[in-house]
Amino acid sequence: MPTYNKLVRDRIPEIIENTGKNFSTRVLDNNEYIQELKKKSFEELQEYVETNNNEDAIEELADVLEIIHALAEYHGASIEEVEEVRKQKAEKRGGFKEKIFLIEVEDE
């Protein structure tokens, strides 16, 4: 039996159960949960980085967004609050639409 030891989406046990396979799970405590969410965020981002087409990229970005929703909730915020902070930062510092690549800045 393969061992996974990783955070999975809430309906994965139900999906596995419907295949008739045996499995084991446990509910994480808050400290474990945030650590696993952080690990999962890197996993999902890496999967996005490895995509080669728009369809796969969107699929993986949806997974990244799901993690962001969970992280926001863990930290006591809604996704709308996170979006508001994003907008404020974009107003102050801009976004990434202009594709600017900084090469160097002169030291004082």
Side-chain angles (χ1 to χ4, degrees):
M1 181 182 311
T3 303
Y4 291 93
N5 288 325
K6 69 178 191 174
L7 182 65
V8 296
R9 289 174 175 264
D10 297 339
R11 294 196 59 211
I12 294 299
E14 174 188 340
I15 292 167
I16 296 170
E17 186 173 44
N18 288 339
T19 68
K21 294 180 181 178
N22 292 319
F23 63 95
S24 61
T25 63
R26 70 182 180 89
V27 176
L28 302 173
D29 66 31
N30 282 339
N31 289 332
E32 292 172 312
Y33 178 58
I34 189 62
Q35 291 306 313
E36 292 301 319
L37 271 177
K38 289 176 180 182
K39 284 184 357 188
K40 192 73 169 178
S41 70
F42 284 106
E43 176 188 324
E44 297 299 349
L45 192 56
Q46 185 62 42
E47 289 175 5
Y48 163 73
V49 168
E50 294 171 359
T51 62
N52 295 313
N53 60 63
N54 289 339
E55 185 179 338
D56 290 344
I58 297 302
E59 184 80 19
E60 296 306 331
L61 286 172
D63 290 341
V64 171
L65 189 55
E66 189 65 37
I67 295 296
I68 291 170
H69 277 256
L71 286 165
E73 184 177 322
Y74 177 85
H75 291 292
S78 67
I79 198 66
E80 292 80 17
E81 290 171 293
V82 173
E83 176 62 12
E84 185 57 36
V85 171
R86 185 205 64 79
K87 285 179 184 177
Q88 291 170 6
K89 290 183 84 169
E91 282 181 28
K92 287 183 183 176
R93 304 189 73 165
F96 296 97
K97 292 179 182 178
E98 295 183 25
K99 305 174 188 173
I100 298 169
F101 185 77
L102 182 64
I103 298 171
E104 62 184 1
V105 175
E106 181 181 3
D107 284 342
E108 294 181 32

